[in-house]
Amino acid sequence: MHQFPALAWQLRLVGVALIGMGLVHAALPRILGWPADLRGSSLLTRQVSYAHLFFIALTCALLGTLPLFFASELLSGAPLPTFLLCAQTLFWGLRWAMEFAYFSPKLWRGHRLRTAGHAALAVLWTWVTGVFVTATAHAIG
């Protein structure tokens, strides 16, 4: 299939983007103003917030390593790689849906930086999900 090499490269690029997203989470609290927002919260709420942030960052990075280092294997059509593609398609597809269905436009409308962030994330999650949908379709056959 002539599409396979291009699809493998798209998967690798998605992997790099997801690892990058994981790393961006290190700066996310400052970008979103969490220290000030969480100052009035209980110690439990602050610690749970930062623990969840850490595990979201780790999840992004670990999920990025699969397509970065195992793109060809993921596209092989074998049962385990196909399951992993289906799982990533579901995971990132739900993240894509959250961008539009969960986050209120009040959070970004009228704020240039937040609007740009929303637009960039909409493009990112559309691309990531599209690559995983395409890869899953390829693997299924």
Side-chain angles (χ1 to χ4, degrees):
M1 299 200 175
H2 69 283
Q3 183 180 15
F4 178 76
L7 185 53
W9 275 108
Q10 284 292 312
L11 278 170
R12 289 182 187 102
L13 289 173
V14 162
V16 170
L18 293 176
I19 292 168
M21 183 57 71
L23 294 173
V24 164
H25 277 75
L28 202 58
R30 276 179 278 141
I31 293 168
L32 297 178
W34 279 18
D37 286 349
L38 292 174
R39 195 169 291 122
S41 299
S42 69
L43 178 61
L44 178 62
T45 299
R46 284 193 306 275
Q47 289 187 340
V48 167
S49 296
Y50 285 108
H52 276 102
L53 178 74
F54 171 79
F55 283 102
I56 291 168
L58 182 61
T59 299
C60 286
L62 290 175
L63 289 178
T65 62
L66 287 171
L68 177 60
F69 296 114
F70 301 104
S72 296
E73 291 85 348
L74 287 171
L75 295 169
S76 71
L80 179 59
T82 301
F83 172 80
L84 292 172
L85 283 173
C86 289
Q88 290 235 33
T89 300
L90 176 64
F91 186 88
W92 297 114
L94 289 172
R95 177 57 186 89
W96 174 85
M98 292 288 281
E99 191 65 34
F100 303 102
Y102 179 74
F103 293 109
S104 172
K106 293 177 187 175
L107 295 171
W108 52 268
R109 276 200 185 125
H111 304 277
R112 280 189 185 166
L113 183 58
R114 287 184 180 180
T115 299
H118 169 70
L121 289 171
V123 169
L124 175 69
W125 301 133
T126 300
W127 171 62
V128 168
T129 302
V131 170
F132 278 116
V133 166
T134 304
T136 300
H138 172 86
I140 290 172

